Amino acid sequence: MTRTHDSDDRPTETNSSTDSAIDAGSGSDRDPLFDRVPRRDFMKAGAAAGAMSSLAGCTGLLGGDDSVSLEDVKTEVKPGEHDDYYAFLSGGHTGEIRVYGLPSMRQLMRIPVFQPESARGYGYDDRTSEMLEESGDYTWGDAHHPRVSQTDNDYDGRWAFVNDKANGRMARINLKYFETDAIVDVPNQQGTHGACCLLPDTKYVFGVGEFRVPMPNDGQDLTDPENYTSTIAAINPETMNVEWEVLVDGNMDNGDGGKEGRWFFATGYNSEHATTESEMSSTDTDWVKAFDVPAIEEAVEAGEYDEINGVPVVDGTRDSALNEGDRPVVRYIDVSKSPHGVSVTPDGQYAIASGKLDPTATVIDIETLAEADDPNESIVGRPRLGMGPLHTAYDGRGHAYTTLFIDSQVVKWDIEKAVEAGEKSTDPVIEKIDVHYNPGHLIAAESYTADPQGDWLISLNKLSKDRFLPVGPMHPENDQLIYIGDDEEGMSLVKDTPSYAEPHDASVVSADKIDPAKIYDPDDYDEEFVGGDDSEITREDGRVHVKMYSMRNEFGFEEVTVTEGDEVTLTVTNIEDRSDILHSLAIPEHNINIKLAPQETREVTFTADEPGVYWMYCAFFCSALHLEMRSRLIVEPAE
Ligand code: RUQ
Ligand code: CUA
């Protein structure tokens, strides 16, 4: 294990303790039952101190300097045991979300968001294909920032949201079913990069527009970058309606919401309004923009906006009238050039922006922002952390953890010390650990809430180089699990997990805060439930509607006969109520595979345009007679 207390020194030892770290936590003296008790309830019940050895993850509750050694926490999840946390990792340009269990780092599920995915029938039935089509009919997206909804600054288990940087969209995932249930094409944003919730109660989901374009981007101002601009968008989480947007100077990058419902922060580069890399980094400073949400809402209320592409757009540029006077809608805070991540501390006191091209982070005191004449007065610390600081996470014990992309390290530092030490001090740095290699984001358990758990941290590394068996020139990335619960011993690397391109960010949620359904509730969806006796075929004017059930090992009809050219709609219900008994309906040579979980109904519409016999079959191995679960689609030639 490598650590150094001098931020400017490169470490001299290399990580060699992966195996021993895993061994250390796999002792057989733990009582597996204790591990299954939700930690919060366990503490409330006043459990005996003698049970400390099984209190994985409770360090945040113990408060103060208390920390728990790696030997005393669960690092191995034995066969049949459950993990303590759900981790939602973005899939980058695969356009999906991956669900991992922590601390095992086992991949539990993949949730397709912006791309069709056949195993889940996503994009192959009418509802999901229409949702994808209506949001722009793209076959991919660039999903970076999964954020889980909160109530009272704690995860409420309702939804996760994620951006599409490629096409300017925001999606919502329903955590009852772990399925994408809404995608909005955000007007006036070409690339929606940052995504996050306004807390404490997820009043809005914010989409942070990165690419500056003419506004509206309809052919005007093509060669006049001074007139390009970008917006943040406030999206209603219930309706997914874009309520308003704010125009700004420069572009934007990442964002995070304050904990008290007033401020929203976005980093940005290119205050130069340039179009090339060298011009974009020609000045030494850029901005963190602090959006005063109630002031913006008042401006919208008072009609002080332009409607662009159907959305009220408030002018938040620096010399806008709305930024004059004592209640500016956007405060521009000078930070060293090209900052990248910004995140608000669990106590809501500071917004911390990472320097990226500058080896510091900027600590902004949120409380003083409203009163300060010059928003730069709210900068209260600028610790020198190391090369390429990108993103920061928290343990709830007063420490921040920042990825250093260029140094290939995670640095742990003391937030209050950074405020005491002032400009460019290395004093706040507590420790650094090597990661492999070049980390982008990192996330600690419940870091985005008011009460991080303080035990686990994942470093989402962009490169894996030599860490895994080679698989050709495209390497997997490497998500490394690091134990951060022991302040004496320091950070410990526990696991390497290869991952497919390319996680950017994650949210880690205690397992007891999410309550996924075991089977479908037919009332949650519009499709008509087709019960055991309800199978029927109706025909009218070249349209055929087939309603049929499915169960082990049959479909409601052994054969369905239609005529060439018919438009066929199949409404199919899996009438089983046993959990985990899935069926699907695949139709060869028709690009159809719909997934049917227990009690789920899906509908698919297609044109039967080639005469012939097609074996409709079930693609989930559902029973010993699964292969026999099939039915014939007979397409007769037209007269
Ligand atoms: S941003 S690490 Cu969306 Cu850092 Cu990718
Ligand atoms: Cu149903 Cu296989």
CSV table of all heavy atoms in Angstrom, one decimal, residues 551-553 582-584 618-623 626-627 629, ligand 2:
chain,number,residue,atom,x,y,z
A,551,MET,N,-47.0,-18.6,-20.3
A,551,MET,CA,-46.6,-19.3,-19.1
A,551,MET,C,-45.8,-20.5,-19.4
A,551,MET,O,-45.7,-20.9,-20.6
A,551,MET,CB,-47.9,-19.8,-18.3
A,551,MET,CG,-48.8,-20.7,-19.1
A,551,MET,SD,-50.3,-21.2,-18.3
A,551,MET,CE,-49.7,-22.6,-17.4
A,552,ARG,N,-45.2,-21.2,-18.4
A,552,ARG,CA,-44.5,-22.4,-18.7
A,552,ARG,C,-45.5,-23.4,-19.2
A,552,ARG,O,-46.5,-23.7,-18.5
A,552,ARG,CB,-43.8,-22.9,-17.4
A,552,ARG,CG,-42.5,-22.1,-17.1
A,552,ARG,CD,-42.1,-22.4,-15.7
A,552,ARG,NE,-43.0,-21.8,-14.7
A,552,ARG,CZ,-42.9,-21.9,-13.4
A,552,ARG,NH1,-42.0,-22.7,-12.9
A,552,ARG,NH2,-43.8,-21.3,-12.6
A,553,ASN,N,-45.5,-24.0,-20.3
A,553,ASN,CA,-44.5,-23.8,-21.4
A,553,ASN,C,-45.2,-23.5,-22.6
A,553,ASN,O,-45.2,-24.2,-23.6
A,553,ASN,CB,-43.6,-25.1,-21.6
A,553,ASN,CG,-43.0,-25.5,-20.2
A,553,ASN,OD1,-42.2,-24.8,-19.7
A,553,ASN,ND2,-43.5,-26.6,-19.7
A,582,LEU,N,-39.1,-15.8,-15.9
A,582,LEU,CA,-39.3,-14.9,-17.0
A,582,LEU,C,-39.6,-15.6,-18.3
A,582,LEU,O,-39.1,-16.8,-18.5
A,582,LEU,CB,-38.0,-14.0,-17.2
A,582,LEU,CG,-37.9,-12.8,-16.4
A,582,LEU,CD1,-37.5,-13.2,-15.0
A,582,LEU,CD2,-37.0,-11.8,-17.0
A,583,HIS,N,-40.4,-15.0,-19.2
A,583,HIS,CA,-40.5,-15.5,-20.6
A,583,HIS,C,-40.2,-14.3,-21.5
A,583,HIS,O,-40.1,-13.2,-21.1
A,583,HIS,CB,-41.9,-16.0,-20.8
A,583,HIS,CG,-42.4,-17.0,-19.9
A,583,HIS,ND1,-41.8,-18.3,-19.9
A,583,HIS,CD2,-43.4,-17.0,-18.9
A,583,HIS,CE1,-42.4,-19.0,-19.0
A,583,HIS,NE2,-43.4,-18.3,-18.4
A,584,SER,N,-40.0,-14.7,-22.7
A,584,SER,CA,-39.9,-13.6,-23.7
A,584,SER,C,-40.7,-14.1,-24.9
A,584,SER,O,-41.2,-15.2,-25.0
A,584,SER,CB,-38.5,-13.3,-24.1
A,584,SER,OG,-38.0,-14.1,-25.1
A,618,CYS,N,-39.7,-18.6,-26.9
A,618,CYS,CA,-39.3,-17.9,-25.6
A,618,CYS,C,-37.8,-17.9,-25.4
A,618,CYS,O,-37.2,-19.0,-25.5
A,618,CYS,CB,-40.0,-18.6,-24.4
A,618,CYS,SG,-39.4,-18.2,-22.8
A,619,ALA,N,-37.2,-16.8,-25.2
A,619,ALA,CA,-35.7,-16.8,-25.2
A,619,ALA,C,-35.1,-16.9,-23.8
A,619,ALA,O,-33.9,-16.9,-23.6
A,619,ALA,CB,-35.2,-15.5,-25.9
A,620,PHE,N,-35.9,-16.8,-22.7
A,620,PHE,CA,-35.4,-17.1,-21.4
A,620,PHE,C,-35.6,-18.6,-21.1
A,620,PHE,O,-36.6,-19.2,-21.3
A,620,PHE,CB,-36.2,-16.3,-20.3
A,620,PHE,CG,-35.8,-14.9,-20.3
A,620,PHE,CD1,-36.7,-13.9,-20.8
A,620,PHE,CD2,-34.6,-14.5,-19.7
A,620,PHE,CE1,-36.3,-12.5,-20.8
A,620,PHE,CE2,-34.3,-13.1,-19.6
A,620,PHE,CZ,-35.1,-12.2,-20.2
A,621,PHE,N,-34.5,-19.2,-20.5
A,621,PHE,CA,-34.6,-20.6,-20.2
A,621,PHE,C,-35.5,-20.8,-18.9
A,621,PHE,O,-35.0,-20.7,-17.8
A,621,PHE,CB,-33.2,-21.2,-20.0
A,621,PHE,CG,-33.2,-22.7,-20.2
A,621,PHE,CD1,-32.6,-23.2,-21.3
A,621,PHE,CD2,-33.8,-23.5,-19.2
A,621,PHE,CE1,-32.6,-24.6,-21.5
A,621,PHE,CE2,-33.8,-24.9,-19.4
A,621,PHE,CZ,-33.2,-25.4,-20.5
A,622,CYS,N,-36.8,-21.0,-19.2
A,622,CYS,CA,-37.7,-20.9,-18.1
A,622,CYS,C,-38.1,-22.2,-17.4
A,622,CYS,O,-38.6,-22.2,-16.3
A,622,CYS,CB,-39.0,-20.2,-18.6
A,622,CYS,SG,-39.6,-21.0,-20.1
A,623,SER,N,-37.9,-23.3,-18.1
A,623,SER,CA,-38.2,-24.6,-17.4
A,623,SER,C,-37.5,-25.7,-18.3
A,623,SER,O,-36.9,-25.4,-19.3
A,623,SER,CB,-39.7,-24.9,-17.4
A,623,SER,OG,-40.2,-25.3,-18.7
A,626,HIS,N,-38.5,-25.5,-21.7
A,626,HIS,CA,-38.4,-24.1,-22.3
A,626,HIS,C,-38.2,-24.2,-23.9
A,626,HIS,O,-38.8,-23.4,-24.6
A,626,HIS,CB,-37.2,-23.5,-21.7
A,626,HIS,CG,-36.4,-22.5,-22.6
A,626,HIS,ND1,-36.9,-21.3,-22.8
A,626,HIS,CD2,-35.3,-22.7,-23.3
A,626,HIS,CE1,-36.0,-20.7,-23.7
A,626,HIS,NE2,-35.1,-21.5,-23.9
A,627,LEU,N,-37.4,-25.2,-24.3
A,627,LEU,CA,-37.2,-25.2,-25.8
A,627,LEU,C,-38.5,-25.5,-26.6
A,627,LEU,O,-38.7,-25.0,-27.7
A,627,LEU,CB,-36.2,-26.3,-26.1
A,627,LEU,CG,-34.7,-25.9,-25.8
A,627,LEU,CD1,-33.8,-27.1,-26.0
A,627,LEU,CD2,-34.3,-24.7,-26.5
A,629,MET,N,-41.4,-24.3,-25.7
A,629,MET,CA,-42.3,-23.2,-25.5
A,629,MET,C,-42.3,-22.3,-26.8
A,629,MET,O,-41.4,-21.4,-26.9
A,629,MET,CB,-41.9,-22.3,-24.3
A,629,MET,CG,-42.9,-21.2,-24.0
A,629,MET,SD,-42.5,-20.4,-22.4
A,629,MET,CE,-43.6,-19.0,-22.6
B,2,CUA,CU1,-40.6,-19.3,-21.3
B,2,CUA,CU2,-38.5,-20.2,-22.0
